[in-house]
Amino acid sequence: QVDVWQPSSPSHIAKGTVTDLRVPQNTSRSLLPLLQQANIPYTVLIADLQQAIDNQTGLRSHRSRRSLSGYNYEVYHSLEEIQDWMHHLNKTHSDLVHLFSVGKSYEGRPLFVLKLGTRSRPYKKAVWIDCGIHAREWIGPAFCQWFVKEALQTFQTDPAMRKMLTQLYFYVMPVFNVDGYQFSWTDDRFWRKTRSRDTRFRCYGVDANRNWKVKWCAEGASLHPCDDTYCGPFPESEPEVRAVAQFLRRQRRQLRAYLSFHAYAQMLLYPYSYKYGTIPNFSCVESAAYDAVNALQSAYGVRYRYGPASSTLYVSSGSSMDWAYRSGVPYAFAFELRDTGHYGFLLPEPLILPTCAETMLAVRAIALHLLAKCR
């Protein structure tokens, strides 16, 4: 019995690659001797997953999370805390922040977005940033909050940030998959999908990054409702995906970049995901990716791989990044943040700061590259 695969499906496992498994303790006692007999090398990365989970969700750091005036960006926050924080910023930084909702989730939760930027001109180009499409990837929402913090704190002192917020709007969605993220805090730390229900199979959820209307449910997606990569009954079946897609369609003229944050693999990916092929503006996108990974590496020496998602990671259809690119957004990227598998989705809180600080440099590099108007 295997509870969780990484990659997201056994079909992505290839000879010569590393595969991460999560197994119950009683299963591990019988599995490990079988691996030894088959001469399959293995390493136990986390001996007690429950303890690691409790370290992140327990009462240990609860008090440090709750204060909005001294909000702690170096711990993981629940959905309630993140949404309280968004409302607080909307009140205290009204010159640069505007909070709004693009719709509601399957379970009726608001889908909040922060719009960052000066109101210096009626028309400005825009950058969309979303985090938490996959519920268990907590470092994503942590980075979205970090990005907002850095933007607000350095606007007056950093000429590059001032240029970015003056010439661009940034739409930041800290938690895309709000129902799934809430469920990952209350019931299953490793939950990935949304929480819509399939009555035929009594399974919950759709992979919100396989539900977009671009080569929907082709290679790299599953038609079975119980699978982690289930593409849904039809494109944009999930109210979260549909709401964001409708908003982005309305912003099509202004939107110049789409950035989506995931975990884990330490990669910077660009289209295509659904096929092997070269995008028309490859030279500009490749140049932006090169600048971004070099900027990221300058902080702590962490080197990200970068390239087309299909060849750098694996082929997957119905992704938000491909949809954005096909919709006319010239710079479409998906980040796979730290790490490469030791902690995986359970990236410890002490690694939030370095991960977010280095990623901030990469995002800044992409934004400045966009403003430089590469042709």
Side-chain angles (χ1 to χ4, degrees):
Q1 178 188 355
V2 176
D3 286 352
V4 167
W5 298 87
Q6 180 64 23
S8 55
S9 167
S11 63
H12 291 144
I13 297 172
K15 185 177 181 180
T17 62
V18 175
T19 301
D20 295 338
L21 308 176
R22 187 187 88 188
V23 296
Q25 277 192 328
N26 59 346
T27 303
S28 66
R29 296 189 189 97
S30 57
L31 176 63
L32 298 186
L34 290 175
L35 294 176
Q36 290 173 335
Q37 292 172 17
N39 291 319
I40 298 175
Y42 68 88
T43 303
V44 177
L45 298 177
I46 302 175
D48 191 336
L49 271 177
Q50 190 60 54
Q51 183 60 54
I53 293 169
D54 292 343
N55 289 342
Q56 293 182 359
T57 60
L59 296 175
R60 175 185 57 82
S61 57
H62 188 68
R63 289 189 183 90
S64 65
R65 290 193 179 100
R66 294 300 300 180
S67 172
L68 284 172
S69 59
Y71 196 78
N72 189 347
Y73 292 88
E74 296 179 35
V75 298
Y76 294 116
H77 289 274
S78 69
L79 180 66
E80 178 189 2
E81 290 161 1
I82 293 172
Q83 292 185 342
D84 286 348
W85 166 83
M86 295 174 80
H87 284 285
H88 178 73
L89 291 185
N90 190 52
K91 291 179 181 177
T92 58
H93 294 80
S94 58
D95 55 331
L96 288 174
V97 173
H98 170 60
L99 173 67
F100 64 98
S101 172
V102 295
K104 289 192 173 182
S105 70
Y106 179 84
E107 294 180 342
R109 294 183 175 87
L111 303 171
F112 286 128
V113 175
L114 290 174
K115 181 182 181 181
L116 303 182
T118 63
R119 299 170 182 86
S120 55
R121 59 187 78 173
Y123 173 87
K124 293 207 301 185
K125 294 176 182 177
V127 175
W128 171 272
I129 297 175
D130 65 50
C131 300
I133 281 184
H134 292 143
R136 63 196 179 195
E137 299 168 8
W138 286 10
I139 188 59
F143 172 72
C144 265
Q145 294 171 87
W146 187 278
F147 175 86
V148 173
K149 167 190 76 84
E150 286 292 301
L152 298 178
Q153 289 182 354
T154 65
F155 174 71
Q156 298 291 350
T157 58
D158 180 4
M161 184 59 72
R162 176 175 285 275
K163 180 179 181 180
M164 288 162 55
L165 293 183
T166 301
Q167 298 188 27
L168 296 167
Y169 280 125
F170 288 85
Y171 294 101
V172 183
M173 190 176 198
V175 187
F176 185 114
N177 179 8
V178 289
D179 296 346
Y181 186 74
Q182 173 72 11
F183 191 75
S184 74
W185 274 79
T186 58
D187 289 78
D188 182 354
R189 176 62 182 83
F190 291 92
W191 187 257
R192 170 183 169 97
K193 301 188 287 182
T194 63
R195 291 296 297 165
S196 56
R197 186 169 186 190
D198 185 283
T199 54
R200 297 169 301 157
F201 290 89
R202 298 183 180 178
C203 291
Y204 286 85
V206 166
D207 186 338
N209 205 35
R210 301 290 187 276
N211 192 233
W212 298 73
K213 198 172 183 179
V214 53
K215 293 294 179 181
W216 174 79
C217 222
E219 185 176 353
S222 171
L223 279 164
H224 199 289
C226 299
D227 288 346
D228 257 358
T229 55
Y230 175 46
C231 58
F234 53 87
E236 295 183 21
S237 63
E238 303 311 282
E240 300 87 351
V241 173
R242 184 165 61 253
V244 172
Q246 288 174 347
F247 174 78
L248 295 179
R249 279 192 282 264
R250 291 195 297 270
Q251 304 299 319
R252 187 174 296 172
R253 285 189 172 186
Q254 289 83 13
L255 204 60
R256 308 306 294 163
Y258 173 92
L259 308 178
S260 189
F261 290 85
H262 298 255
Y264 55 92
Q266 294 177 191
M267 295 178 180
L268 177 54
L269 309 171
Y270 53 80
Y272 299 105
S273 290
Y274 69 87
K275 69 175 183 178
Y276 299 105
T278 302
I279 55 177
N281 63 333
F282 168 80
S283 59
C284 284
V285 171
E286 173 83 358
S287 175
Y290 175 82
D291 290 348
V293 297
N294 283 336
L296 187 149
Q297 187 176 10
S298 70
Y300 298 97
V302 174
R303 185 68 182 174
Y304 272 41
R305 293 173 57 200
Y306 67 97
S310 55
S311 56
T312 309
L313 186 57
Y314 48 67
V315 174
S316 63
S317 57
S319 73
S320 64
M321 178 183 70
D322 280 348
W323 180 90
Y325 186 77
R326 284 276 297 269
S327 298
V329 181
Y331 290 86
F333 290 101
F335 281 78
E336 293 283 350
L337 301 179
R338 293 199 196 186
D339 56 8
T340 56
H342 184 91
Y343 296 108
F345 304 119
L346 291 177
L347 194 72
E349 289 180 332
L351 293 180
I352 292 176
L353 185 152
T355 302
C356 292
E358 67 192 10
T359 307
M360 189 73 200
L361 297 177
V363 173
R364 183 168 127 160
I366 291 173
L368 295 176
H369 196 281
L370 164 64
L371 290 173
K373 299 179 181 176
C374 172
R375 300 257 181 241

